[in-house]
Amino acid sequence: MFEFYTNKFKDFTVSSDRTVNEIIFEEHQTGNAVFPLERVLLNDIVILLEKAILNKLSSDIQFQKNYWTWGFVTVYYSNFYLAQLLNRLSNKFYIYINESLNKEVIYNNGIYEFGQNNRDNTHQREFKLLKSNYSTIKTYGDLRLKPIFDIFQITEKNEIFKYTIDNEIKESEIRNRINYQLKHYKEIHLTNEEFENYKQLFQEIISNTISNEYPDYFQLLIINEKRFLFLSMLLNEIKAINPAFKIKIERLFEKINEKYDETFHNVNLSTKALIGELLK
């Protein structure tokens, strides 16, 4: 379905554990303007996926302990890693190596090369680029979009894109309010009744039974759930055409399963099922 994003990965390798930044820095030092990222880009994908999942699982445990404020900040970082990952799956993404190597990288006619310099180093640029990179999907007819409707259990196209790529929800702004407004650590003031309400809202979202208007910080969690589901569709297409990448994801699944035993044994079953769907 998303072959215009995923077909290019058919012959990409995963044999190296090196990263995009390492390859670009070395090639740039020798004066090369074209970068052999087909050797390492899928490694970046796996690294970012692991970071997104571990932040997801960490937030789940924090919510269970009623650490809601920092739980939402942790969800935010999972969302940020997912945005970086999804941008790398598209044909344009950002790298930051140092002040002089803060650039766009563009995939064009089978090669990766530098685009514009980028003075902006805020998280917001990733979310803006995400909207731009995946805007093509919004032009699909409803029949092409039916798999998305099915997996999200939603019939309104605008609702899907609101929580996945459109950035109608200002993720960085919500995170900043939690981090920098001194009165935002609400859990110390919450009543037992309010705690129960928070738990119910959390359970609705991770069970995909969303039916209400949610406080903005809960919308970070909705974004997280739907971005993971959207990503699973893209990764399934890449795994189908790249057996080596499929094996790499299976090894990540084994690693995450070990983390369940060691650290995340109390994770919510709906969360565990979501990660299982992603890595199967």
Side-chain angles (χ1 to χ4, degrees):
M1 179 180 179
F2 300 114
E3 60 278 355
F4 47 91
Y5 293 110
T6 57
N7 274 0
K8 63 178 174 289
F9 295 106
K10 184 175 186 295
D11 297 316
F12 280 38
T13 63
V14 293
S15 57
S16 168
D17 286 325
R18 305 184 72 201
T19 66
V20 165
N21 279 12
E22 290 172 338
I23 293 294
I24 287 179
F25 182 73
E26 288 183 2
E27 297 292 324
H28 183 68
Q29 291 289 95
T30 59
N32 293 338
V34 175
F35 309 109
L37 299 189
E38 65 278 359
R39 291 165 22 203
V40 297
L41 184 57
L42 287 177
N43 294 332
D44 268 30
I45 300 305
V46 175
I47 291 169
L48 287 165
L49 180 58
E50 181 179 352
K51 293 169 78 169
I53 290 172
L54 292 180
N55 275 273
K56 168 73 169 173
L57 298 176
S58 297
S59 70
D60 190 284
I61 298 299
Q62 291 176 76
F63 291 144
Q64 290 184 44
K65 295 178 181 294
N66 283 325
Y67 299 144
W68 294 92
T69 300
W70 203 249
F72 286 121
V73 172
T74 308
V75 168
Y76 167 84
Y77 279 99
S78 180
N79 289 345
F80 173 65
Y81 294 132
L82 288 171
Q84 285 187 301
L85 192 166
L86 287 166
N87 285 334
R88 275 166 166 71
L89 289 179
S90 188
N91 289 345
K92 182 187 292 186
F93 60 91
Y94 294 116
I95 58 105
Y96 178 86
I97 297 174
N98 52 45
E99 288 297 326
S100 62
L101 283 177
N102 179 17
K103 297 176 180 286
E104 294 175 346
V105 176
I106 297 174
Y107 183 77
N108 188 26
N109 293 324
I111 62 173
Y112 285 95
E113 56 191 350
F114 280 145
Q116 297 180 348
N117 291 339
N118 197 299
R119 297 182 181 276
D120 182 10
N121 194 33
T122 65
H123 286 191
Q124 190 61 30
R125 73 175 184 175
E126 291 289 344
F127 302 126
K128 290 178 180 177
L129 184 61
L130 183 67
K131 178 177 180 177
S132 173
N133 278 340
Y134 289 91
S135 61
T136 304
I137 296 174
K138 293 189 68 175
T139 65
Y140 274 24
D142 284 356
L143 289 178
R144 295 286 317 263
L145 281 170
K146 190 175 184 301
I148 300 181
F149 293 151
D150 290 344
I151 200 167
F152 289 153
Q153 298 179 20
I154 276 180
T155 56
E156 291 294 329
K157 182 191 296 188
N158 289 339
E159 285 299 300
I160 291 172
F161 295 117
K162 174 181 179 181
Y163 288 113
T164 50
I165 63 174
D166 258 0
N167 198 32
E168 292 180 28
I169 310 302
K170 303 301 182 184
E171 300 170 59
S172 293
E173 183 180 306
I174 296 171
R175 189 280 309 262
N176 289 343
R177 286 207 303 275
I178 295 173
N179 274 349
Y180 302 119
Q181 291 186 12
L182 299 183
K183 295 182 179 180
H184 203 85
Y185 277 72
K186 293 183 177 181
E187 56 261 38
I188 199 168
H189 304 295
L190 293 178
T191 66
N192 287 337
E193 182 179 352
E194 289 169 323
F195 275 136
E196 291 305 313
N197 182 49
Y198 272 41
K199 290 176 182 178
Q200 181 179 346
L201 294 175
F202 169 73
Q203 193 61 49
E204 286 180 10
I205 292 170
I206 65 171
S207 301
N208 200 21
T209 55
I210 302 166
S211 58
N212 301 313
E213 290 294 322
Y214 292 86
D216 57 3
Y217 31 92
F218 276 93
Q219 293 183 38
L220 292 176
L221 182 59
I222 299 174
I223 291 169
N224 191 250
E225 293 284 313
K226 296 194 178 299
R227 204 167 275 169
F228 267 119
L229 287 171
F230 178 58
L231 174 63
S232 72
M233 299 173 74
L234 294 175
L235 293 187
N236 282 343
E237 293 197 8
I238 299 173
K239 286 184 285 186
I241 62 174
N242 190 320
F245 180 66
K246 186 175 187 294
I247 292 171
K248 190 99 169 179
I249 292 295
E250 288 171 351
R251 288 175 179 166
L252 176 61
F253 194 23
E254 294 172 1
K255 186 175 181 181
I256 296 298
N257 279 331
E258 290 176 6
K259 290 294 182 184
Y260 288 136
D261 296 334
E262 296 170 1
T263 308
F264 300 114
H265 45 276
N266 290 327
V267 75
N268 192 286
L269 292 180
S270 294
T271 300
K272 195 170 183 179
L274 175 69
I275 302 306
E277 179 69 25
L278 180 73
L279 299 178
K280 70 179 181 181

